[in-house]
Amino acid sequence: QVQLVESGGGLVQAGGSLRLSCAASGSIFTINSMGWYRQAPGKQRELVARIISSDNTNYADTVKGRFTISRDKVKNTAYLQMNSLKPEDTAVYYCAAPWIPVYWGRGTQVTVSS
């Protein structure tokens, strides 16, 4: 089993930045990739970014150039740096491991005001 706990969400004005963290514990040796997903009200959950290695990352077109996913294997933590936030980025953000999810965190709310 792997436990994932997200943090770092909050309320920010458009154009601002937030950094989400996802702390992993448990059988983390089984995890070789991680992903960040988001779900806005009334919409399906969607993949925002995934990381397989430091030089193998992918992003949804809607966040490319604004968001950066990274991972600290020593701290067993994944990050999502979100810059130039837009109101349409408002959603609950979930951490997943591996990037095709077997384990989910409970999510952290991100609200971007216009």
Side-chain angles (χ1 to χ4, degrees), residues 37-84:
Y37 289 72
R38 67 184 181 188
Q39 187 167 19
K43 295 188 177 181
Q44 288 190 331
R45 194 171 297 190
E46 63 176 354
L47 176 65
V48 174
R50 66 179 186 185
I51 182 165
I52 298 173
S53 66
S54 59
D55 58 355
N56 188 349
T57 59
N58 299 91
Y59 299 90
D61 287 343
T62 52
V63 307
K64 202 171 292 183
R66 299 188 297 122
F67 291 11
T68 302
I69 189 171
S70 61
R71 184 179 180 186
D72 186 330
K73 289 192 174 182
V74 174
K75 295 183 177 180
N76 299 321
T77 301
Y79 303 97
L80 186 66
Q81 178 66 44
M82 306 186 296
N83 299 328
S84 302

Side-chain angles (χ1 to χ4, degrees), residues 84-105:
S84 302
L85 282 161
K86 304 175 181 180
E88 51 264 43
D89 294 318
T90 295
V92 178
Y93 283 71
Y94 297 90
C95 177
W99 80 266
I100 299 177
V102 175
Y103 304 102
W104 289 99

